[in-house]
């Protein structure tokens, strides 16, 4: 069988496209040896990638801000066409085009039975939960590639009902693997509902997806905060108010200028642990966004936290932060009776309903996040542009299937 090609982390600030072995219907060695289960995966399929997106979570690894080793394959946002199928796959066929949740889940453990597919117990010996192409997530090969293996296919895959319609709307549908459900999860768990006022910290793709999702949920006003003018302009393009944090003004004052009061009903952290204080030359402050959203969220509010926080950050500002210990003002959140919702989005809770919105032409998430298709060979330069703050969601099209 032909070789495969995949994007690989080569060290801080560097990725490359390299040839690797074509995937087999087998589980990774980490999972087999760590959990003592069978290597053969007749429950799996091989996908020919239609699209695979570059994610801000990938950038944390590429910047050298995780414990990822050189050689780590990348890519967890996967949409593909089935080209090979295991004997135990009953409900999918060769030729199906499917979205793949970035959470790898067995569909059989207690967590999966409770719908908590982001913390499956049978796919990663290191901790609950796994993902394709990510550090400490079970050794699964990444999907910024030509081909990828997907296990427990009957449980994990979301089939698009019509091939032609799927390809026509592929730039929207590709967002179902992570960014759209993750943004929606952030808004939903923050309690956004009809008439809510909402603050979203971060105008990267997840923040934009969260802001767009807040609008879908009926928010009256969505304010997006960032220091990147191009990304704020992108947020404004679909009706968001914006907070330019490069001004150095207090966030509560900016919100008061927009809403007439210095607080919101719901707040979302779409930044994570590489956050910086306000002002153009502000230093890194990993807890600043969490403290900001506690400050501006009303008493009794929920805080949706899709932004990534890690247990190992070799580039952190101090020794405590290197272990994920950051200066969160928990007493403030406790005093205001805030609810915090953290962790990976359980994609399967949302992806089918969001797919229906896209297919019914009622959600245009690709426009909201400014999706742009690129070739697999353009991945390194697109990683660099994204790292420099491009207001673009890069969608890798390895086989030229995006119209």
């Amino acid at each position: 069988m032909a070789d495969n090609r995949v994007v690989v982390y080569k060290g801080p600030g560097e990725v490359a496209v390299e040839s690797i072995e074509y995937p087999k219907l087998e589980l990774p060695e980490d999972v087999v040896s760590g959990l003592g289960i069978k290597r053969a995966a007749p429950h799996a399929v091989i996908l020919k990638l239609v699209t695979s997106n570059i994610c801000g979570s990938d950038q944390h690894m590429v910047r050298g801000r995780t414990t990822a080793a050189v050689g780590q394959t990348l890519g967890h946002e996967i949409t593909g066409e089935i080209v090979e199928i295991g004997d135990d796959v009953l409900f999918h066929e060769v030729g199906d085009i499917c979205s793949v949740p970035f959470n790898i889940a067995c569909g059989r453990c207690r967590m999966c039975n409770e719908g908590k597919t982001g913390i499956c117990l049978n796919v990663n010996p290191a901790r609950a939960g796994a993902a394709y192409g990510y550090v400490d997530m079970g050794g699964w090969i990444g999907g910024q590639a030509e081909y990828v293996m997907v296990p427990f296919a009957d449980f994990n895959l979301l089939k698009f009902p019509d091939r032609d319609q799927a390809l026509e709307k592929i730039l929207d549908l590709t967002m179902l693997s992570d960014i759209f459900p993750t943004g929606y999860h952030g808004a939903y768990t923050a309690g956004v509902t009809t008439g809510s006022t909402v603050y979203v910290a971060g105008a990267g793709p997840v923040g934009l997806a969260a802001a767009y999702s807040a609008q879908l949920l009926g928010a009256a006003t969505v304010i997006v905060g960032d220091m990147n003018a191009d990304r704020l302009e992108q947020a404004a393009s679909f009706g968001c108010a914006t907070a330019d944090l490069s001004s150095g003004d207090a966030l509560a004052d900016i919100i008061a200028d927009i809403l007439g009061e210095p607080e919101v009903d719901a707040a979302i952290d779409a930044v994570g642990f590489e956050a910086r204080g306000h002002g153009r030359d502000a230093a890194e402050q990993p807890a600043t966004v969490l403290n900001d959203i506690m400050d501006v969220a009303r008493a009794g509010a929920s805080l949706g936290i899709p932004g990534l926080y890690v247990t190992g950050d070799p580039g952190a500002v101090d020794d405590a932060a290197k272990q994920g210990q950051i200066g969160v003002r928990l007493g403030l959140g406790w005093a205001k009776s805030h609810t915090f919702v953290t962790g990976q989005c359980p994609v399967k809770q949302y992806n089918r309903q969001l797919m229906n919105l896209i297919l019914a032409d009622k959600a245009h998430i690709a426009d909201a996040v400014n999706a742009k298709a690129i070739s697999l060979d353009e991945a390194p330069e697109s990683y660099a542009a994204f790292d420099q703050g491009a207001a673009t969601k890069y969608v890798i099209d390895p086989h030229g299937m995006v119209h």
Side-chain angles (χ1 to χ4, degrees):
M1 190 67 73
D3 285 344
N4 190 15
R5 298 170 72 230
V6 65
V7 180
V8 175
Y9 171 59
K10 302 297 289 181
E14 184 181 357
V15 302
V17 180
E18 296 185 353
S19 293
I20 61 171
E21 188 176 282
Y22 187 87
K24 299 177 181 178
L25 298 176
E26 295 180 351
L27 300 181
E29 175 58 32
D30 291 14
V31 176
V32 172
S33 59
L35 295 175
I37 59 179
K38 295 177 181 178
R39 180 180 299 278
H43 47 74
V45 300
I46 308 288
L47 293 185
K48 174 184 176 181
L49 268 292
V50 177
T51 52
S52 182
N53 318 325
I54 297 175
C55 179
S57 297
D58 298 321
Q59 288 286 21
H60 293 304
M61 286 188 289
V62 173
R63 292 190 191 111
R65 297 300 298 271
T66 72
T67 56
V70 170
Q72 168 75 53
T73 60
L74 302 175
H76 55 271
E77 300 190 12
I78 298 168
T79 304
E81 177 184 2
I82 298 175
V83 293
E84 186 176 343
I85 199 162
D87 290 342
D88 287 351
V89 177
L90 303 179
F91 305 111
H92 290 283
E93 300 176 352
V94 170
D96 288 351
I97 297 181
C98 306
S99 180
V100 183
F102 79 91
N103 327 105
I104 301 169
C106 71
R108 308 171 186 187
C109 69
R110 174 179 175 176
M111 294 297 100
C112 288
N113 282 322
E114 293 179 2
K116 300 172 182 176
T117 52
I119 44 174
C120 175
L121 303 175
N122 290 331
V123 287
N124 183 2
R127 65 181 70 172
Y132 304 89
Y134 213 85
V135 58
D136 296 332
M137 285 294 183
W140 301 86
I141 298 297
Q144 288 171 12
E146 294 174 324
Y147 300 91
V148 71
M149 186 274 287
V150 174
F152 310 109
D154 281 328
F155 183 71
N156 284 308
L157 294 180
L158 174 66
K159 177 185 173 181
F160 300 141
D162 181 86
R163 179 187 180 90
D164 291 340
Q165 184 187 33
L167 291 174
E168 180 184 344
K169 294 182 176 291
I170 196 64
L171 284 180
D172 290 303
L173 294 170
T174 189
M175 306 303 168
L176 293 172
S177 58
D178 179 357
I179 181 179
F180 197 8
T182 293
Y184 191 92
H185 180 65
Y188 180 80
T189 57
V192 177
T193 187
T194 305
S196 295
T197 57
V198 184
Y199 175 66
V200 180
V206 169
L208 295 172
Y212 187 76
S213 297
Q215 293 176 340
L216 289 175
L217 287 164
T221 304
V222 181
I223 304 168
V224 180
D226 205 296
M227 291 183 282
N228 181 314
D230 290 340
R231 290 181 172 182
L232 289 174
E233 183 179 351
Q234 183 62 30
S237 74
F238 58 95
C240 297
T242 58
D244 181 1
L245 304 181
S246 69
S247 68
D249 294 343
L251 177 60
D253 291 342
I254 297 173
I255 289 174
D257 287 342
I258 297 169
L259 297 177
E261 59 180 354
E263 64 180 17
V264 292
D265 297 322
I268 302 162
D269 171 6
V271 177
F273 71 102
E274 287 193 65
R276 293 183 176 274
H278 298 186
R280 291 195 177 279
D281 300 317
E284 186 171 306
Q285 299 175 27
T288 191
V289 170
L290 292 171
N291 291 332
D292 274 352
I293 63 174
M294 285 188 285
D295 185 47
V296 302
R298 63 169 172 79
S302 293
L303 310 179
I305 310 174
L308 176 66
Y309 290 86
V310 296
T311 56
D313 174 9
V317 293
D318 55 47
D319 288 340
K322 288 179 180 179
Q323 302 176 61
Q325 295 177 311
I326 57 178
V328 178
R329 296 179 62 198
L330 188 59
L332 174 61
W334 190 94
K336 297 177 79 171
S337 294
H338 284 160
T339 298
F340 297 74
V341 181
T342 68
Q344 292 184 25
C345 166
V347 169
K348 282 175 60 65
Q349 288 190 19
Y350 308 105
N351 64 350
R352 185 176 299 277
Q353 294 91 331
L354 296 176
M355 176 189 73
N356 289 342
L357 283 176
I358 291 169
L359 296 180
D361 211 30
K362 293 182 178 179
H364 302 95
I365 186 65
D367 289 340
V369 301
N370 193 25
K372 177 183 178 182
I374 60 169
S375 69
L376 186 61
D377 289 317
E378 290 175 299
E381 64 193 70
S382 299
Y383 263 95
F386 190 28
D387 190 47
Q388 292 301 309
T392 304
K393 178 67 171 177
Y394 291 102
V395 176
I396 299 172
D397 173 18
H399 295 283
M401 297 180 72
V402 176
H403 298 304

